[in-house]
Amino acid sequence: MANEAFEDRLIHALLLEDLAGEVPPDLTRKIMRRAAAKPLRLRRWLFPAAAAAAAVIGLSWLLLRTAYPAPQLSGAIQVAGGGKPQRGAVLKTGNNSGSVTLGGYCQVTLAADSQITLEGQEHAEQIYLTKGKVSCDIEKKQGAFVVRTDVGTVSVVGTKFTVRLIARKGEEEMGKRKIAWALAVAVAAGSVNVEYGGKLETLSVGPEKVYGANGGSRDLRGFSGQVRGVVIKVKKGKFKFKVFRVIQVWEGNKARNAETLVGKSVWVGPRREDHKRGRGKAVKLHLAFIRKLKPEQEITLEIYNPRGSEFHLLELSKEQRAEAHGEGKEKEDEEKEREKEKDEKGSKLPKKLRGFSGQVRGVVVAKGEKNSFKFKVARVLRVWKNNEARKPKALVGRTVRVIAGWFKHQHGKWRQSELHLAFIKKLEAGQELTLEIRNAEGPYNFQILELSKEQRAEAKGENGEREEREKAPEKKSGTVIGILLNKDKHGHWIEVKLDGQGEVRRFKPHWRGGAPKDGGGLDKEMVAAIKKLIVTNRVRVKWRWEELYRVEAVEVLRPEAKAGAVAGKITARGKHWIEVKPDGDGPVERYLPRWIGGHPRDGGGLDKEVVHALHKLRLGDRVELRWIYDERLRVVAVEKLGGREREEERPRKDKEKDRDLAQELDDAF
Amino acid sequence: MKKETLEVLVKAHQAEVYRYLRYLGADNEAAEDLVQDSFLEAFRSSKAPELDDVRGRAAWLRAIARNLFLNYCRRRRRSPVRANSEYLEQAESFWVTGFLRGGDGFDYVEALRACLERISQKHRHLLRQRYAEGKSRPEMSRFFKMSENGIKSLLRRIRLTLGECIRRRLGREQS
């Protein structure tokens, strides 16, 4: 096979990694577990030669046959009545969870207050779940595993799943309510077979499925509070509402466990005048509000549950009342609001990606409103255990909206993390970073899960220390050219986005003299020079490494002409600027709209037409723009070059088209 | 081999072994299984190279992975590739000279990423459909209004051109 063919295979494999996100998985734990379960080797000296040794051989064989691992306990798990964990033993947990490893290949974790009985045999392990919940991680190709319950059985070969028993209110009998049990199964990897009611069903990765008695839950009876969620459907004066978050509970709340409302879909109707009896007139304003609701609308509501399973609106907010009254914006304005919201939210996530939780690498596309930013995912590095997305790797290539994480603070109130908000504030479009994100609420937003140590430091404003942690480069001095992205207002540093690499590097002036108390400080001339620089211009920076990148000289690279035109591709964009790589060999330049009018209070501002035109453009679009130089490169007019990139790429309708398109590749570079 | 040594080996080389198996032709699931089997084979072997000899142990692990992949192909009715010893030896030779190039392949991957930025929007769209969105050839042929063979040839040509670009870049960097 020629090298060309191997190269094709190699590039195909690398594209699967880079674009399809099929990154090498971390198999350390599995490998170490399998290594720990390796069989004993038979030793030669255990086989004596004489005939009488036959009995010895037999005995030796009995002694030394492949030792099947005994159950191993860990955590807060106990054997009921004492004794060893063996077949027939009952294992239970109290307030904390614990786990048991069966046969070396079944890792079973019991949640708090759960109970199982060990059954089965070697390589066909089985447990009888009598109470609570178990999470199971089963190695492939080691043996079978079954979870048996009174409701049904779950059998697997190599997968991860959870099984829990739910106590539900059953029918009344002889004046007493029976407890009816339901079985809930959720598969995290692979698939399981669930036997319930004499039928067998294969369940794959996805949300929890419940088998068994349905009914209301005492935990939510008497709930009264504020929730956030999404409208699922609207029907005859009520609507189905999926709760993402319980923001707060009111004083009148009687629900035992309000948090169990999260993730549930409930019917919500209007408040009734005489709500205690469940009769009486529905509040008209609430009915009007409900009529205006649309499916997939995300809203915050105040609701309560007097009894049964239905909820009622408690109070509407000021905006909701205005909307219900019809005193809101005109239809045209409302359309614009929705368009703007849709634009900010970004495209809706497909169902296979909802519930994603993991670590990704990508680039900040643009900063958005309300402390959010758009982030284009280049790679999915890791997927966390609580991930619910069916195809997490399909996130690669998507641009998603990311917001600060929501956390419960004191008094049970939910707030966005201040640290995340500070971090988002410092982000720049075009910045490449690694993020831990998850989609927990609705089909639009991702929340930041955790910031790395460096990200937290940056958010806290310890940015000045960042350079100290940078590794010394191989070259200790040089000259670079790039776009001046940012500078300190006191002239203490500049940040330059270097040509070609896209790397953003910070440069500081040299330190002159000794300690500050002895008159030492940053090079005054350089500080003064930095103060005069105007950001977004291209600059040439001569630098030297002395613990940090030190700027020795900086020169603004102004264009020769005062005006011109350029055609090229948008490589980065922000709210009111774009970076364009011209066709051919020219460098990337950043363009902003002109400032028209004077001070903002006198009506001055950025050229609205150009701002509007820039908002319509996307990363990767080809554009032609006219510019002038006025301290910075300013866009006077911009036009998207739509459709075909080059004339010769025009598709034809006959069979020759295939060959023609293939031929174009010769010119691809 | 001690378990601690195995853990060090796994953490250092599992990504490369996985990538190597995908390059040889294993699919995602098979590669995961074979990676595990390779390290367990290494664990049981008495011929492990010294931990200091990074290249030596990487080559040794690749050799184990190759043999296991060959057995895997022979056991299957429909093998992913026409695998035989000669094919695998040539594949190994290209991996060392064409991909690793005395390092760990990082330069090659970076060059590929840089070359991906340079291809036209239409071809990037094609690659995205095939790899990121996992569309099948019939689906792509309907979308781009081309024959299935046309799509296949076009993708191959794109990869070929990426290969040329990568070699040019790597050649430039070396000089």
Side-chain angles (χ1 to χ4, degrees):
Chain A
M1 210 178 187
N3 271 351
E4 206 176 81
F6 287 118
E7 189 172 57
D8 184 57
R9 287 204 157 277
L10 174 64
I11 292 174
H12 172 68
L14 293 175
L15 286 174
L16 282 171
E17 233 182 87
D18 216 38
L19 298 182
E22 289 182 15
V23 294
D26 185 2
L27 298 166
T28 314
R29 206 163 62 93
K30 281 188 180 172
I31 293 169
M32 296 312 294
R33 222 184 301 151
R34 283 179 68 182
K38 71 179 177 75
L40 289 174
R41 292 187 191 283
L42 297 174
R43 306 273 187 251
R44 277 191 210 154
W45 56 264
L46 292 169
F47 293 89
V56 178
I57 289 171
L59 183 62
S60 303
W61 184 83
L62 274 173
L63 286 172
L64 292 165
R65 71 188 171 98
T66 307
Y68 190 77
Q72 301 286 329
L73 302 183
S74 67
I77 184 169
Q78 293 168 333
V79 181
K84 285 183 189 172
Q86 55 194 1
R87 306 239 180 254
V90 174
L91 306 181
K92 58 183 183 182
T93 51
N95 291 333
N96 295 311
S97 63
S99 65
V100 55
T101 305
L102 303 173
Y105 70 93
C106 307
Q107 171 96 0
V108 181
T109 304
L110 277 72
D113 197 28
S114 302
Q115 186 170 299
I116 61 171
T117 306
L118 298 183
E119 298 178 342
Q121 52 195 354
E122 290 180 12
H123 298 293
E125 297 288 342
Q126 178 167 304
I127 60 172
Y128 173 40
L129 176 66
T130 47
K131 188 178 166 192
K133 171 179 162 181
V134 290
S135 300
C136 310
D137 185 352
I138 314 300
E139 290 282 354
K140 282 186 198 176
K141 297 182 191 174
Q142 300 297 317
F145 179 74
V146 174
V147 177
R148 185 170 74 86
T149 71
D150 287 338
V151 182
T153 61
V154 183
S155 57
V156 302
V157 181
T159 188
K160 285 182 195 170
F161 64 101
T162 59
V163 180
R164 66 186 177 106
L165 283 175
I166 310 168
R168 292 270 166 82
K169 256 197 192 161
E171 294 166 358
E172 249 189 56
E173 199 179 276
M174 305 278 283
K176 284 185 186 174
R177 254 194 212 282
K178 281 169 45 173
I179 297 286
W181 293 94
L183 177 69
V185 183
V187 181
S191 60
V192 305
N193 293 326
V194 181
E195 185 271 311
Y196 169 71
K199 287 183 195 165
L200 193 67
E201 182 185 338
T202 302
L203 207 60
S204 299
V205 173
E208 193 178 61
K209 187 164 178 182
V210 179
Y211 302 87
N214 288 314
S217 169
R218 269 215 175 273
D219 288 343
L220 295 173
R221 197 68 53 77
F223 174 86
S224 175
Q226 194 183 40
V227 296
R228 178 116 184 126
V230 71
V231 176
I232 298 178
K233 60 180 166 185
V234 183
K235 189 176 159 187
K236 288 182 189 171
K238 59 183 181 180
F239 60 100
K240 199 166 184 185
F241 183 73
K242 182 165 181 174
V243 178
F244 296 147
R245 197 165 66 243
V246 174
I247 301 172
Q248 48 188 329
V249 291
W250 302 137
E251 269 185 39
N253 174 60
K254 288 176 191 143
R256 280 195 302 204
N257 194 355
E259 286 298 328
T260 54
L261 194 55
V262 175
K264 284 200 164 57
S265 296
V266 295
W267 282 100
V268 183
R271 195 177 73 225
R272 307 241 159 216
E273 305 276 24
D274 185 7
H275 65 87
K276 285 179 187 173
R277 291 181 181 275
R279 290 192 298 260
K281 234 172 152 180
V283 173
K284 275 189 186 161
L285 198 63
H286 290 188
L287 283 171
F289 171 73
I290 291 170
R291 269 198 295 273
K292 286 185 191 271
L293 289 174
K294 297 269 180 296
E296 292 178 12
Q297 194 176 338
E298 238 182 87
I299 46 175
T300 300
L301 290 178
E302 290 188 27
I303 58 174
Y304 72 102
N305 165 261
R307 65 163 195 270
S309 56
E310 191 166 301
F311 285 72
H312 299 270
L313 290 170
L314 197 56
E315 287 288 341
L316 295 178
S317 67
K318 194 175 158 188
E319 290 78 16
Q320 288 168 344
R321 282 200 299 276
E323 204 176 308
H325 275 304
E327 288 160 27
K329 293 175 183 178
E330 289 180 25
K331 219 176 185 178
E332 210 178 290
D333 284 348
E334 276 177 36
E335 280 296 320
K336 279 186 191 170
E337 247 338 282
R338 269 191 222 120
E339 286 265 339
K340 190 183 165 197
E341 213 182 294
K342 192 179 169 185
D343 192 43
E344 277 173 22
K345 274 183 186 173
S347 55
K348 202 168 136 188
L349 271 181
K351 284 185 183 168
K352 63 185 175 188
L353 285 176
R354 292 188 204 168
F356 173 88
S357 176
Q359 192 185 47
V360 297
R361 180 120 185 119
V363 69
V364 176
V365 172
K367 297 276 285 284
E369 303 284 346
K370 296 176 192 172
N371 294 315
S372 68
F373 62 99
K374 284 199 179 158
F375 185 74
K376 185 165 182 181
V377 177
R379 274 178 291 164
V380 173
L381 298 173
R382 284 180 191 176
V383 171
W384 301 137
K385 278 185 181 167
N386 61 353
N387 170 64
E388 288 167 7
R390 277 185 286 116
K391 290 190 180 174
K393 289 165 187 173
L395 199 57
V396 173
R398 288 195 83 89
T399 300
V400 296
R401 184 168 178 258
V402 183
I403 59 174
W406 283 85
F407 297 96
K408 220 172 185 179
H409 282 255
Q410 291 175 355
H411 314 302
K413 288 196 178 174
W414 285 84
R415 277 196 204 136
Q416 283 189 300
S417 162
E418 293 289 340
L419 203 61
H420 293 184
L421 290 169
F423 173 73
I424 291 173
K425 226 173 183 174
K426 292 190 185 210
L427 288 177
E428 289 270 347
Q431 193 176 337
E432 206 179 309
L433 42 106
T434 299
L435 277 182
E436 291 189 27
I437 57 172
R438 73 167 178 164
N439 164 251
E441 302 176 357
Y444 293 100
N445 291 340
F446 278 78
Q447 286 183 25
I448 296 176
L449 264 173
E450 285 278 350
L451 294 176
S452 67
K453 194 173 159 190
E454 289 77 17
Q455 288 169 343
R456 283 199 296 274
E458 201 174 315
K460 281 178 192 167
E462 292 162 42
N463 232 357
E465 301 308 306
R466 189 177 63 187
E467 294 90 343
E468 268 81 343
R469 290 199 286 271
E470 280 184 18
K471 282 186 191 169
E474 278 183 25
K475 268 175 71 176
K476 299 296 180 196
S477 66
T479 304
V480 291
I481 298 177
I483 297 176
L484 179 63
L485 284 190
N486 215 344
K487 69 170 191 179
D488 177 51
K489 63 181 178 187
H490 303 295
H492 291 176
W493 50 262
I494 54 171
E495 273 180 0
V496 178
K497 184 174 169 183
L498 306 182
D499 279 351
Q501 307 150 45
E503 178 199 342
V504 176
R505 197 181 283 175
R506 182 173 281 207
F507 300 89
K508 279 184 111 168
H510 279 283
W511 187 270
R512 304 291 182 212
K517 63 178 169 68
D518 302 323
L522 293 172
D523 185 312
K524 289 191 170 72
E525 274 182 34
M526 186 50 61
V527 166
I530 289 176
K531 281 184 183 173
K532 290 181 188 164
L533 293 174
I534 295 174
V535 290
T536 76
N537 274 296
R538 282 175 60 74
V539 290
R540 179 183 287 119
V541 176
K542 189 177 167 197
W543 61 270
R544 179 177 294 283
W545 174 265
E546 267 181 26
E547 293 177 2
L548 316 164
Y549 286 102
R550 303 282 182 182
V551 51
E552 300 204 310
V554 60
E555 179 199 345
V556 176
L557 301 173
R558 292 184 180 83
E560 285 173 12
K562 286 287 180 191
V566 68
K569 192 180 79 167
I570 298 178
T571 54
R573 58 156 298 143
K575 196 174 170 185
H576 295 136
W577 56 265
I578 52 172
E579 281 178 17
V580 176
K581 169 96 178 71
D583 296 336
D585 281 331
V588 174
E589 295 272 15
R590 185 176 280 206
Y591 300 87
L592 286 81
R594 285 177 302 171
W595 187 271
I596 297 190
H599 199 276
R601 61 166 175 259
D602 302 326
L606 293 172
D607 185 333
K608 286 192 172 64
E609 271 184 40
V610 170
V611 167
H612 185 66
L614 290 183
H615 279 174
K616 287 185 186 171
L617 299 171
R618 296 279 174 265
L619 216 59
D621 282 350
R622 278 199 77 239
V623 295
E624 185 168 342
L625 59 89
R626 279 186 295 118
W627 57 267
I628 57 168
Y629 186 80
D630 163 24
E631 290 190 333
R632 300 177 164 93
L633 284 167
R634 304 278 188 180
V635 179
V636 173
V638 64
E639 188 192 326
K640 183 175 167 180
L641 300 174
R644 298 176 288 279
E645 291 183 30
R646 296 194 199 93
E647 192 55 38
E648 52 269 31
E649 287 188 24
R650 192 190 301 275
R652 295 179 203 172
K653 287 179 185 172
D654 54 28
K655 287 181 184 176
E656 259 49 61
K657 188 178 62 172
D658 292 2
R659 280 203 293 275
D660 287 344
L661 281 170
Q663 287 294 326
E664 283 161 19
L665 284 169
D666 292 336
D667 303 325
F669 291 93
Chain B
M1 188 191 291
K2 290 181 186 170
K3 280 187 197 150
E4 293 78 21
T5 313
L6 174 65
E7 198 169 346
V8 168
L9 264 186
V10 169
K11 285 181 176 164
H13 293 288
Q14 63 173 331
E16 192 200 336
V17 175
Y18 174 89
R19 191 183 265 171
Y20 184 68
L21 285 160
R22 295 304 307 268
Y23 153 71
L24 290 180
D27 62 29
N28 193 24
E29 271 194 33
E32 276 195 32
D33 288 342
L34 289 170
V35 165
Q36 294 182 57
D37 293 342
S38 302
F39 281 102
L40 288 172
E41 191 68 35
F43 181 54
R44 289 192 274 265
S45 164
S46 52
K47 293 179 193 171
E50 292 299 319
L51 268 182
D52 294 341
D53 181 10
V54 176
R55 279 199 202 143
R57 71 185 193 219
W60 173 64
L61 285 166
R62 286 199 307 273
I64 297 175
R66 259 198 320 279
N67 287 330
L68 289 174
F69 179 67
L70 188 58
N71 291 337
Y72 166 81
C73 290
R74 283 172 179 162
R75 280 198 309 266
R76 287 172 68 88
R77 208 176 290 173
R78 281 182 67 190
S79 167
V81 291
R82 272 198 202 132
N84 54 43
S85 308
E86 197 188 319
Y87 159 80
L88 293 176
E89 272 172 29
Q90 287 172 352
E92 164 71 7
S93 169
F94 181 79
W95 180 266
V96 170
T97 54
F99 176 65
L100 294 179
R101 293 170 167 253
D104 58 0
F106 176 79
D107 290 341
Y108 195 97
V109 173
E110 287 301 297
L112 171 63
R113 289 200 183 118
C115 291
L116 276 171
E117 293 298 311
R118 295 187 62 197
I119 61 171
S120 68
Q121 186 127 330
K122 184 160 188 161
H123 301 138
R124 208 176 305 130
H125 186 43
L126 246 155
L127 289 179
R128 208 182 314 128
Q129 291 245 333
R130 167 63 183 89
Y131 291 99
E133 296 177 29
K135 290 229 162 90
S136 65
R137 230 180 277 156
E139 283 173 325
M140 287 176 70
S141 117
R142 277 195 296 274
F143 184 86
F144 288 101
K145 296 187 176 49
M146 288 172 67
S147 66
E148 288 185 32
N149 277 335
I151 292 282
K152 181 181 170 183
S153 314
L154 191 51
L155 284 169
R156 191 157 183 276
R157 290 294 297 272
I158 296 174
R159 290 196 295 264
L160 260 172
T161 320
L162 283 170
E164 276 167 21
C165 170
I166 292 168
R167 271 181 268 122
R168 273 203 301 271
R169 282 189 83 89
L170 292 176
R172 259 205 313 265
E173 278 169 24
Q174 264 187 344
S175 63

